[in-house]
Amino acid sequence: HAQNQRSRHASKHRFFIVELSQALFDFVIQLLPTAEEMAVKEDVRKLLERLIHTIEPGSRLLSFGSTANGFSLRNSDMDLCCLIDADKRLSASDLVTVLGDLLERETKFHVKPLPHARIPIVKLSLDPSPGLPSGIACDIGFENRLALENTRLLMCYAMIDPTRVRTLVLFLKVWSKRRKINSPYQGTLSSYGYVLLVIYFLIHVKNPPVLPNLQQMPPLRPISQEETHIGGYNTWFFDDIELLCQHWQSSNTESVAELLIDFFRYYSRDFSYNTGVASIRAGLLKKESKGWQNDLSNSKFNDARERNRFCIEDPFETGFNVARCVTKEGLYQIRGEFMRASRILAMRPRAILALSQLCEE
Ligand code: ATP
Ligand code: MG
């Protein structure tokens, strides 16, 4: 009788997993940007590039962030980076001011130059219109080559296992937005931070791993420092994904639903928030080893402590904590949401119900 009950239990569990995986695919697909939206965005990029050419003829305007890495949701903002040729005449903050003026004169965008931000940017937006029901929001930065590279790194990870990686990332982006834990300005985590958490989990927590560590794979040919370093940071990673996939396949066969359940369990119970640093490059590191400890006994470091509650190492700019904006309250909220999600999934409701409950606003 007990054995019967166990096998009924197991088959109910299998059904839940299969149903949830399917529901996750379906859920995510309807949130992808339409072809029109992508085309409008590309037109906007070209238009802006032409205008920028009037100030800096040799420059290029490239997209990065979600529009370029395959993790874009419908109506997500556009991140653009302007690359200027070597002998640039203006500093980034001056360019922001000049470009801001130009765009204000020549376009219908609302323009907000932020020349004194950590990374100077021009913020642009267009109001919703019949052809563009949600308007457009766009940030233009300058010379942010590391961001272009980390975008390419994330894109390569997405290409290795498109179904599982993209479904997980896109779902978590929607979930974190709906649950209001995706606002670095309000003490929670950026989308970029959540993507790094997913990749860290797939490379370093899952055993066998779902993804290889592209930054630790040996190059196919010897390469020089010059080729691998940007501004003193090593940005090398194995990027021949076609070749990689001919020789490497994950032996992890878990479904998206199983991975998602385990992701929530790991970040609600197992990740060591107090002492650990999640690094997709090097695995679990110690805050101490990076000088990121939040030593409560020393009030002089109050500020540093507040900045290092939650530690996620940037893949290239390794001295930079991507989660530095997360405050004590923000982390409490984020962990609370991981626990809530685990609790909901542990009750194994019908899949559709589970997703709408998870993403309840
Ligand atoms: P969304 O669709 O929510 O806009 P996104 O994928 O564009 O998500 P963002 O958080 O907007 O993600 O980040 C876009 C890019 O900006 C990232 O790919 C990264 O290059 C850079 N970036 C964002 N936040 C940080 C950060 N805290 N540290 C370093 N780089 C960041
Ligand atoms: Mg973005």
Side-chain angles (χ1 to χ4, degrees), residues 64-67 76-79 173 191:
F64 68 101
S66 61
T67 1
S76 61
D77 59 2
M78 256 174 111
D79 302 293
K173 275 176 71 168
S191 295

Side-chain angles (χ1 to χ4, degrees), residues 64-69 71-73 75-79 118-119 139 144 146-152 154 169 173 177 182 184 189-193 195-196 314-315 317 320-325:
F64 68 101
S66 61
T67 1
N69 65 20
F71 297 136
S72 161
L73 295 168
N75 310 323
S76 61
D77 59 2
M78 256 174 111
D79 302 293
R118 185 179 79 93
I119 296 173
D139 293 349
N144 197 354
L146 288 171
L148 294 172
E149 284 307 298
N150 68 39
T151 295
R152 220 164 56 78
L154 302 187
V169 165
K173 275 176 71 168
K177 285 177 204 285
N182 180 269
L189 191 61
S190 64
S191 295
Y192 181 56
V195 180
L196 293 177
D314 187 84
E317 211 177 336
F320 183 71
N321 176 11
V322 172
R324 63 191 281 148
C325 296

